[in-house]
Amino acid sequence: SMLKAKPLTQAWRGPLPFELPPLVRRTSSAVTRGATLANQVAVVTGSTKGIGFAIARRLAQDGAHVVVSSRKQQNVDQAVVELQGEGLSVSGTVCHVGKAEDREPGGHGALKHCGGVDFLICVAGVNPLVGGILGSSEQVWDKMLNVTVKAPALLLTQLLPHMEKRKGGSMILISSVGAYMPYSKLRAYNVSKTALLGLTKALAVELAPKNIRVNCLVPGVIDTAFSQVVFEDPSLWTYMKALCGTQRVGQPEDCAGIVSFLCSSDASYITAESIMVAGCSFHL
Ligand SMILES: NC(=O)c1ccc[n+]([C@@H]2O[C@H](COP(=O)([O-])OP(=O)(O)OC[C@H]3O[C@@H](n4cnc5c(N)ncnc54)[C@H](OP(=O)(O)O)[C@@H]3O)[C@@H](O)[C@H]2O)c1
């Protein structure tokens, strides 16, 4: 048949010589799926390791040019080399999201070659500091709220002119299951992540007239350096298993597909939403 004569994996690189039935398009290969974000540009903060790195890789696999960043040049270089080695379109820049000078588009030097930004994914977070609310010093609160809550809003302000050059856009914030379930050891962190649910709603309303959607990814316990302190606690697992049937720790890749989907045109009527990727759900 015609389908056999021209495999789908090659078809999207040029104009199709024939019309494919819609069902065939939907079930096509990973390479065909790569077209979903083609010609679009994503800025992903905190993306040299863990969840951010998995998201950066997936957005690039799906066709976007991705600007990866984090605090350390060495980590940025390593991530860029690894992803470029996989044939992906990425560039890198140092951006400590808590530093004003790093948030300026100048700090995102790679942007000037991109002609605009379509997606802003704010993954960078503060290492969970073990302790209760009352034990958290003013410095701890400031760092937590600066990096988690203020930085995404301020970075958006900086990048908005670049996003407005495009037809629409998508912003995604990264909260945590702790936003719904205040895990006892990370209370100030939990509160900062709950604030992100509110930031998602507020920004979604404010940006709707600009056709920029704002959604929130709410990961459960994901196996990264960041979460060792949490997932080594057997009492947490006993609780999660008993209450929610949770069977395993998540992997960074578990968080990547949903972000790509939320950026894609398939999600064009989804905004102000918070979506758990946790092997369970703590909200109705
Ligand atoms: N892992 C979990 O179980 C879990 C669960 C729920 C939510 N989350 C959230 O997911 C996000 C990522 O966590 P992860 O587990 O993927 O952590 P991770 O594996 O430790 O990776 C963190 C990444 O962010 C960068 N980074 C750290 N501080 C930064 C800053 N101030 N500015 C810019 N980049 C920074 C790090 O690189 P540099 O060191 O070079 O800066 C690294 O690339 C965080 O917001 C976290 O709250 C994680």
Side-chain angles (χ1 to χ4, degrees), residues 156-262:
L156 171 70
T157 309
Q158 291 286 341
L159 296 188
L160 197 56
H162 293 266
M163 295 184 83
E164 286 179 306
K165 288 183 198 161
R166 317 288 274 194
K167 283 195 203 109
S170 170
M171 179 179 188
I172 296 169
L173 300 167
I174 314 294
S175 178
S176 163
V177 60
Y180 297 116
M181 185 191 74
Y183 179 58
S184 60
K185 290 188 178 162
L186 312 173
R187 289 217 166 109
Y189 171 84
N190 293 327
V191 174
S192 75
K193 291 298 191 180
T194 309
L196 282 185
L197 304 176
L199 183 62
T200 302
K201 295 273 174 203
L203 281 176
V205 173
E206 199 165 324
L207 293 180
K210 298 185 187 298
N211 196 25
I212 296 173
R213 298 175 294 105
V214 186
N215 291 291
C216 189
L217 169 70
V218 187
V221 184
I222 309 295
D223 185 5
T224 68
F226 188 92
S227 61
Q228 298 304 308
V229 55
V230 181
F231 84 77
E232 280 166 5
D233 178 355
S235 68
L236 177 79
W237 286 110
T238 310
Y239 178 78
M240 297 273 285
K241 201 163 183 175
L243 201 71
C244 321
T246 308
Q247 297 295 311
R248 66 171 175 91
V249 175
Q251 296 302 316
E253 293 71 26
D254 288 321
C255 297
I258 184 75
V259 171
S260 180
F261 166 73
L262 287 171

Side-chain angles (χ1 to χ4, degrees), residues 47-268:
S47 52
T48 58
K49 296 214 173 110
I51 295 170
F53 183 75
I55 290 170
R57 172 186 269 148
R58 176 58 186 262
L59 297 180
Q61 285 172 342
D62 288 348
H65 173 81
V66 180
V67 183
V68 300
S69 62
S70 74
R71 292 167 303 179
K72 298 178 195 119
Q73 183 75 55
Q74 195 190 334
N75 291 344
V76 173
D77 293 344
Q78 206 179 345
V80 167
V81 165
E82 185 170 347
L83 295 176
Q84 285 181 346
E86 294 171 15
L88 301 171
S89 174
V90 301
S91 50
T93 185
V94 168
C95 177
H96 180 323
V97 297
K99 290 189 178 166
E101 63 273 24
D102 283 7
R103 288 192 301 260
E104 283 168 12
H108 270 91
L111 291 185
K112 56 179 176 286
H113 306 295
C114 295
V117 173
D118 301 275
F119 315 127
L120 172 58
I121 323 295
C122 298
V123 188
V126 175
N127 264 315
L129 291 148
V130 178
I133 297 274
L134 298 179
S136 301
S137 66
E138 186 165 0
Q139 286 94 323
V140 165
W141 277 112
D142 285 348
K143 188 177 172 196
M144 200 69 84
L145 296 176
N146 279 346
V147 169
T148 307
V149 187
K150 280 164 63 181
L154 295 170
L155 183 59
L156 171 70
T157 309
Q158 291 286 341
L159 296 188
L160 197 56
H162 293 266
M163 295 184 83
E164 286 179 306
K165 288 183 198 161
R166 317 288 274 194
K167 283 195 203 109
S170 170
M171 179 179 188
I172 296 169
L173 300 167
I174 314 294
S175 178
S176 163
V177 60
Y180 297 116
M181 185 191 74
Y183 179 58
S184 60
K185 290 188 178 162
L186 312 173
R187 289 217 166 109
Y189 171 84
N190 293 327
V191 174
S192 75
K193 291 298 191 180
T194 309
L196 282 185
L197 304 176
L199 183 62
T200 302
K201 295 273 174 203
L203 281 176
V205 173
E206 199 165 324
L207 293 180
K210 298 185 187 298
N211 196 25
I212 296 173
R213 298 175 294 105
V214 186
N215 291 291
C216 189
L217 169 70
V218 187
V221 184
I222 309 295
D223 185 5
T224 68
F226 188 92
S227 61
Q228 298 304 308
V229 55
V230 181
F231 84 77
E232 280 166 5
D233 178 355
S235 68
L236 177 79
W237 286 110
T238 310
Y239 178 78
M240 297 273 285
K241 201 163 183 175
L243 201 71
C244 321
T246 308
Q247 297 295 311
R248 66 171 175 91
V249 175
Q251 296 302 316
E253 293 71 26
D254 288 321
C255 297
I258 184 75
V259 171
S260 180
F261 166 73
L262 287 171
C263 288
S264 77
S265 59
D266 278 342
S268 63

